[in-house]
Short mmCIF file of all heavy atoms in Angstrom, two decimals:
data_model
loop_
_atom_site.label_atom_id
_atom_site.label_comp_id
_atom_site.label_asym_id
_atom_site.label_seq_id
_atom_site.Cartn_x
_atom_site.Cartn_y
_atom_site.Cartn_z
N LEU A 1538 -9.35 -0.61 -3.28
CA LEU A 1538 -10.61 -0.84 -3.99
C LEU A 1538 -11.22 0.47 -4.48
O LEU A 1538 -11.74 0.56 -5.60
CB LEU A 1538 -11.59 -1.59 -3.09
CG LEU A 1538 -11.21 -3.03 -2.75
CD1 LEU A 1538 -12.24 -3.65 -1.81
CD2 LEU A 1538 -11.08 -3.87 -4.02
N ILE A 1539 -11.16 1.51 -3.64
CA ILE A 1539 -11.67 2.81 -4.07
C ILE A 1539 -10.78 3.38 -5.17
O ILE A 1539 -11.26 4.02 -6.11
CB ILE A 1539 -11.76 3.77 -2.87
CG1 ILE A 1539 -12.75 3.23 -1.84
CG2 ILE A 1539 -12.18 5.16 -3.31
CD1 ILE A 1539 -12.84 4.02 -0.57
N THR A 1540 -9.48 3.12 -5.07
CA THR A 1540 -8.55 3.54 -6.12
C THR A 1540 -8.89 2.86 -7.44
O THR A 1540 -8.80 3.47 -8.51
CB THR A 1540 -7.11 3.20 -5.72
OG1 THR A 1540 -6.77 3.92 -4.53
CG2 THR A 1540 -6.13 3.56 -6.82
N ALA A 1541 -9.29 1.60 -7.38
CA ALA A 1541 -9.67 0.87 -8.59
C ALA A 1541 -10.83 1.57 -9.29
O ALA A 1541 -10.86 1.68 -10.53
CB ALA A 1541 -10.05 -0.57 -8.24
N LEU A 1542 -11.79 2.05 -8.51
CA LEU A 1542 -12.93 2.77 -9.09
C LEU A 1542 -12.47 4.03 -9.81
O LEU A 1542 -12.84 4.27 -10.97
CB LEU A 1542 -13.93 3.11 -7.98
CG LEU A 1542 -15.23 3.80 -8.38
CD1 LEU A 1542 -16.33 3.46 -7.39
CD2 LEU A 1542 -15.09 5.32 -8.44
N LEU A 1543 -11.64 4.83 -9.13
CA LEU A 1543 -11.18 6.09 -9.72
C LEU A 1543 -10.36 5.82 -10.98
O LEU A 1543 -10.57 6.46 -12.02
CB LEU A 1543 -10.35 6.85 -8.70
CG LEU A 1543 -9.66 8.12 -9.21
CD1 LEU A 1543 -10.68 9.13 -9.70
CD2 LEU A 1543 -8.78 8.73 -8.12
N ARG A 1544 -9.42 4.91 -10.90
CA ARG A 1544 -8.56 4.65 -12.05
C ARG A 1544 -9.33 4.08 -13.23
O ARG A 1544 -9.03 4.38 -14.39
CB ARG A 1544 -7.44 3.68 -11.64
CG ARG A 1544 -6.38 4.34 -10.76
CD ARG A 1544 -5.40 3.32 -10.24
NE ARG A 1544 -4.18 3.96 -9.74
CZ ARG A 1544 -3.19 3.31 -9.13
NH1 ARG A 1544 -3.29 2.00 -8.94
NH2 ARG A 1544 -2.12 3.97 -8.73
N THR A 1545 -10.32 3.26 -12.95
CA THR A 1545 -11.14 2.69 -14.02
C THR A 1545 -11.88 3.77 -14.78
O THR A 1545 -11.88 3.80 -16.02
CB THR A 1545 -12.14 1.67 -13.45
OG1 THR A 1545 -11.43 0.60 -12.84
CG2 THR A 1545 -13.03 1.12 -14.54
N VAL A 1546 -12.52 4.66 -14.04
CA VAL A 1546 -13.29 5.73 -14.69
C VAL A 1546 -12.36 6.65 -15.47
O VAL A 1546 -12.68 7.09 -16.58
CB VAL A 1546 -14.10 6.51 -13.64
CG1 VAL A 1546 -14.85 7.65 -14.30
CG2 VAL A 1546 -15.09 5.59 -12.93
N LEU A 1547 -11.19 6.96 -14.91
CA LEU A 1547 -10.24 7.81 -15.63
C LEU A 1547 -9.75 7.14 -16.91
O LEU A 1547 -9.60 7.79 -17.95
CB LEU A 1547 -9.06 8.15 -14.72
CG LEU A 1547 -9.35 9.11 -13.56
CD1 LEU A 1547 -8.11 9.29 -12.71
CD2 LEU A 1547 -9.83 10.46 -14.08
N ALA A 1548 -9.47 5.84 -16.83
CA ALA A 1548 -9.03 5.11 -18.03
C ALA A 1548 -10.12 5.12 -19.09
O ALA A 1548 -9.84 5.29 -20.29
CB ALA A 1548 -8.67 3.67 -17.65
N MET A 1549 -11.38 4.97 -18.68
CA MET A 1549 -12.48 5.00 -19.63
C MET A 1549 -12.64 6.39 -20.24
O MET A 1549 -12.89 6.53 -21.45
CB MET A 1549 -13.78 4.58 -18.93
CG MET A 1549 -13.84 3.10 -18.59
SD MET A 1549 -15.40 2.66 -17.79
CE MET A 1549 -15.34 0.87 -17.95
N LEU A 1550 -12.50 7.42 -19.41
CA LEU A 1550 -12.61 8.79 -19.91
C LEU A 1550 -11.54 9.08 -20.95
O LEU A 1550 -11.81 9.65 -22.02
CB LEU A 1550 -12.53 9.77 -18.75
CG LEU A 1550 -12.51 11.26 -19.12
CD1 LEU A 1550 -13.80 11.64 -19.85
CD2 LEU A 1550 -12.33 12.11 -17.87
N LEU A 1551 -10.31 8.70 -20.66
CA LEU A 1551 -9.21 8.94 -21.60
C LEU A 1551 -9.41 8.16 -22.89
O LEU A 1551 -9.14 8.67 -23.99
CB LEU A 1551 -7.88 8.54 -20.94
CG LEU A 1551 -7.39 9.44 -19.80
CD1 LEU A 1551 -6.17 8.83 -19.14
CD2 LEU A 1551 -7.07 10.84 -20.33
N SER A 1552 -9.87 6.92 -22.78
CA SER A 1552 -10.06 6.11 -23.99
C SER A 1552 -11.18 6.68 -24.85
O SER A 1552 -11.11 6.63 -26.08
CB SER A 1552 -10.36 4.66 -23.61
OG SER A 1552 -11.62 4.55 -22.98
N GLU A 1553 -12.21 7.22 -24.21
CA GLU A 1553 -13.31 7.79 -24.98
C GLU A 1553 -12.92 9.14 -25.58
O GLU A 1553 -13.33 9.48 -26.70
CB GLU A 1553 -14.55 7.96 -24.08
CG GLU A 1553 -15.78 8.46 -24.80
CD GLU A 1553 -16.25 7.52 -25.90
OE1 GLU A 1553 -15.92 6.31 -25.87
OE2 GLU A 1553 -16.95 8.01 -26.81
N CYS A 1554 -12.10 9.90 -24.87
CA CYS A 1554 -11.65 11.19 -25.40
C CYS A 1554 -10.73 11.02 -26.60
O CYS A 1554 -10.85 11.74 -27.60
CB CYS A 1554 -10.94 11.99 -24.31
SG CYS A 1554 -12.04 12.66 -23.04
N PHE A 1555 -9.79 10.07 -26.49
CA PHE A 1555 -8.81 9.89 -27.57
C PHE A 1555 -9.20 8.77 -28.54
O PHE A 1555 -8.53 8.58 -29.56
CB PHE A 1555 -7.44 9.59 -26.96
CG PHE A 1555 -6.85 10.74 -26.21
CD1 PHE A 1555 -6.95 10.81 -24.82
CD2 PHE A 1555 -6.22 11.77 -26.88
CE1 PHE A 1555 -6.41 11.87 -24.12
CE2 PHE A 1555 -5.67 12.85 -26.18
CZ PHE A 1555 -5.78 12.90 -24.80
N ARG A 1556 -10.26 8.02 -28.18
CA ARG A 1556 -10.72 6.90 -29.01
C ARG A 1556 -9.55 5.96 -29.32
O ARG A 1556 -9.37 5.50 -30.46
CB ARG A 1556 -11.37 7.41 -30.29
CG ARG A 1556 -12.61 8.26 -30.01
CD ARG A 1556 -13.14 8.92 -31.24
NE ARG A 1556 -14.14 9.92 -30.87
CZ ARG A 1556 -14.67 10.79 -31.72
NH1 ARG A 1556 -14.29 10.77 -32.98
NH2 ARG A 1556 -15.56 11.66 -31.32
N SER A 1557 -8.78 5.71 -28.30
CA SER A 1557 -7.59 4.88 -28.44
C SER A 1557 -7.32 4.18 -27.13
O SER A 1557 -7.63 4.71 -26.05
CB SER A 1557 -6.39 5.74 -28.84
OG SER A 1557 -5.17 5.05 -28.67
N SER A 1558 -6.74 2.99 -27.18
CA SER A 1558 -6.34 2.29 -25.96
C SER A 1558 -4.88 2.53 -25.64
O SER A 1558 -4.43 2.26 -24.52
CB SER A 1558 -6.59 0.79 -26.11
OG SER A 1558 -5.85 0.27 -27.22
N THR A 1559 -4.12 3.05 -26.60
CA THR A 1559 -2.69 3.29 -26.40
C THR A 1559 -2.44 4.56 -25.60
O THR A 1559 -1.58 4.59 -24.71
CB THR A 1559 -1.97 3.38 -27.75
OG1 THR A 1559 -2.24 2.22 -28.51
CG2 THR A 1559 -0.47 3.51 -27.55
N VAL A 1560 -3.19 5.61 -25.90
CA VAL A 1560 -2.97 6.89 -25.23
C VAL A 1560 -3.24 6.80 -23.72
O VAL A 1560 -2.42 7.27 -22.92
CB VAL A 1560 -3.85 7.99 -25.87
CG1 VAL A 1560 -3.71 9.30 -25.08
CG2 VAL A 1560 -3.43 8.21 -27.32
N PRO A 1561 -4.34 6.19 -23.27
CA PRO A 1561 -4.53 6.05 -21.82
C PRO A 1561 -3.39 5.27 -21.15
O PRO A 1561 -2.96 5.63 -20.05
CB PRO A 1561 -5.86 5.29 -21.71
CG PRO A 1561 -6.57 5.60 -22.96
CD PRO A 1561 -5.51 5.71 -24.02
N LEU A 1562 -2.92 4.21 -21.80
CA LEU A 1562 -1.81 3.44 -21.24
C LEU A 1562 -0.57 4.30 -21.10
O LEU A 1562 0.10 4.27 -20.06
CB LEU A 1562 -1.52 2.23 -22.12
CG LEU A 1562 -0.30 1.37 -21.73
CD1 LEU A 1562 -0.45 0.82 -20.32
CD2 LEU A 1562 -0.12 0.24 -22.74
N ALA A 1563 -0.26 5.09 -22.12
CA ALA A 1563 0.92 5.95 -22.07
C ALA A 1563 0.78 7.02 -21.01
O ALA A 1563 1.72 7.27 -20.23
CB ALA A 1563 1.15 6.58 -23.44
N LEU A 1564 -0.38 7.68 -20.95
CA LEU A 1564 -0.57 8.77 -19.99
C LEU A 1564 -0.57 8.26 -18.55
O LEU A 1564 0.08 8.85 -17.67
CB LEU A 1564 -1.88 9.50 -20.28
CG LEU A 1564 -1.92 10.32 -21.57
CD1 LEU A 1564 -3.31 10.91 -21.78
CD2 LEU A 1564 -0.88 11.44 -21.53
N MET A 1565 -1.27 7.16 -18.30
CA MET A 1565 -1.36 6.64 -16.95
C MET A 1565 -0.01 6.07 -16.48
O MET A 1565 0.38 6.25 -15.33
CB MET A 1565 -2.45 5.58 -16.86
CG MET A 1565 -3.85 6.14 -17.10
SD MET A 1565 -5.16 4.89 -17.07
CE MET A 1565 -5.29 4.59 -15.31
#
Side-chain angles (χ1 to χ4, degrees):
L1538 292 178
I1539 297 175
T1540 298
L1542 183 152
L1543 173 62
R1544 286 173 163 175
T1545 298
V1546 178
L1547 289 177
M1549 289 181 165
L1550 175 61
L1551 290 173
S1552 68
E1553 184 61 22
C1554 287
F1555 293 99
R1556 298 172 191 171
S1557 166
S1558 59
T1559 306
V1560 175
L1562 175 60
L1564 291 176
M1565 295 178 75

